[in-house]
Amino acid sequence: MSQRAVVTAGTGGIGLETAKGLAERGFAVTVVGRNAERGAIAIERITAVATGAAPHFVAADLASLDQVRALAAHLAAEGPLSVLVNNVGAMFAQRQQTVDGIEASFAVNHLSPYLLTELLLDQLRAGGPSRIVNVTSAAIKAAKRTFDAVEPPGGYYGFHWYGRAKLANLAYILHLAERLRGTGITVFAADPGGAATDMTNGTMTSPKIVSPALRLLWPLLRRAFERSTDGTASDAARPSIFAATDASLDGQTGLLIGPEIRPVPAFRGATDPQAIENVLRLSRQLAPLRDGSGIQPR
Ligand SMILES: NC(=O)c1ccc[n+]([C@@H]2O[C@H](COP(=O)([O-])OP(=O)(O)OC[C@H]3O[C@@H](n4cnc5c(N)ncnc54)[C@H](OP(=O)(O)O)[C@@H]3O)[C@@H](O)[C@H]2O)c1
């Protein structure tokens, strides 16, 4: 019987290529996205390369915490899980709030994968040895490192706020790796490098995503963004596929897999104890776990 793998935002971009890579390696892959039509096309493409059980699509908007909870319940009912790739991520040119009234960068890039992971720990334990892979970004380097509140002080700049939410998620995932040590669940972060996808071809073309000081350098920055995201989604999926499946990582946990498909040092800030404590406090407050649906993170 095929082992089960879930890839969020798996119907396009890097997520679809990750899903194809896992299906090629014999996993029964479930991909999550919002758009059913895109989901159906993705399933055709994944089926064409699958060597194990048939792939499935599940619709969920991961910007909604209720939909994340419903997705977790649906996936949990399907039984043990061996791989969870939290690939969802988004950058917003303008400040947006989700249906839960939470700033969207923080909700989609951190709270959603946080909540889904916590709610699926029992299934990952049952499917062990299992792996959790969260997709991170080098944008972390341009992030404000304060997590006293969801929104950092100062104006909204999509690129910086995206990087900050990814930093929050990396801090959480590295802490989770330690928390789960010895349980049969190992935890990795994967940095895809850059790829030309909907995200990079869309939001990253607006100078509004960077702070006013950096906007003065926009033509240079835009070229740098273009150069750093001109790769293919299939190359950018390789760190996630490696983190999810490679035997050389057996028994290891808490590693960041870089674009060159090998472990690299975690970005500074992600291991800062104060940042971890604040990220966990915000996560518990904004995305509380309901009784019986998972274990409360320490
Ligand atoms: N591309 C890069 O250069 C780059 C660099 C560093 C890190 N990353 C990270 O890599 C991951 C994948 O990025 P990408 O460039 O492949 O992004 P993308 O092209 O925007 O991803 C498209 C996929 O995301 C899904 N999606 C978007 N918002 C969603 C939501 N709210 N709920 C559910 N599904 C949603 C889409 O489904 P629908 O069509 O149904 O909405 C589709 O399956 C992200 O975590 C991103 O932050 C990317």
Side-chain angles (χ1 to χ4, degrees):
M1 206 173 77
S2 299
Q3 292 181 304
R4 285 178 64 223
V6 170
V7 182
T8 66
T11 59
I14 298 168
L16 173 58
E17 296 304 321
T18 304
K20 283 166 58 188
L22 296 178
E24 264 171 357
R25 288 161 178 77
F27 284 89
V29 180
T30 300
V31 286
V32 181
R34 291 169 294 191
N35 182 311
E37 212 171 300
R38 210 168 167 185
I41 295 166
I43 291 303
E44 269 179 37
R45 294 180 58 186
I46 300 165
T47 303
V49 297
T51 59
H56 293 286
F57 165 73
V58 182
D61 182 350
L62 297 168
S64 154
L65 294 178
D66 278 350
Q67 291 201 33
V68 174
R69 291 181 198 284
L71 171 68
H74 177 98
L75 295 172
E78 292 181 339
L81 186 60
S82 296
V83 168
L84 171 63
V85 183
N86 285 305
N87 169 73
V88 75
M91 193 188 300
F92 302 94
Q94 312 277 349
R95 184 183 173 284
Q96 287 184 30
Q97 282 200 333
T98 64
V99 286
D100 302 295
I102 301 170
E103 189 281 316
S105 316
F106 197 77
V108 175
N109 294 291
H110 171 59
L111 286 178
S112 156
Y114 158 81
L115 184 59
L116 187 64
T117 303
E118 293 293 334
L119 296 178
L120 289 175
L121 287 180
D122 287 346
Q123 284 66 36
L124 286 157
R125 229 174 255 116
S130 55
R131 296 189 190 182
I132 298 167
V133 179
N134 278 28
V135 180
T136 187
S137 167
I140 280 177
K141 293 173 193 164
K144 276 193 178 161
R145 293 176 190 167
T146 54
F147 295 102
D148 298 330
V150 169
E151 307 197 32
Y156 177 86
Y157 312 115
F159 181 71
H160 303 280
W161 286 39
Y162 162 80
R164 179 176 168 274
K166 288 284 190 190
L167 175 59
N169 198 248
L170 184 60
Y172 160 66
I173 210 77
L174 296 178
H175 176 266
L176 181 69
E178 291 311 316
R179 193 179 124 206
L180 296 179
R181 203 177 268 282
T183 62
I185 309 173
T186 51
V187 182
F188 300 92
D191 175 2
T197 62
D198 288 355
M199 187 180 83
T200 49
N201 292 333
T203 321
M204 286 182 80
T205 56
S206 163
K208 287 190 181 155
I209 63 170
V210 295
S211 59
L214 286 178
R215 252 173 246 170
L216 297 171
L217 303 171
W218 179 250
L220 282 176
L221 268 182
R222 175 74 194 122
R223 273 201 296 280
F225 281 154
E226 269 168 5
R227 269 198 307 274
S228 65
T229 59
D230 67 357
T232 64
S234 74
D235 277 346
R238 291 172 65 209
S240 292
I241 297 168
F242 177 84
T245 63
D246 201 82
S248 67
L249 298 177
D250 284 351
Q252 304 201 61
T253 195
L255 298 178
L256 167 62
I257 307 302
E260 307 301 329
I261 338 279
R262 58 169 182 260
V264 294
F267 302 111
R268 245 184 23 213
T271 51
D272 171 40
Q274 189 61 56
I276 295 169
E277 192 183 317
N278 286 349
V279 166
L280 289 177
R281 181 181 47 76
L282 280 177
S283 310
R284 289 180 196 132
Q285 197 183 313
L286 294 164
L289 304 177
R290 288 174 185 155
D291 287 346
S293 57
I295 55 170
Q296 190 65 32
R298 291 193 298 267

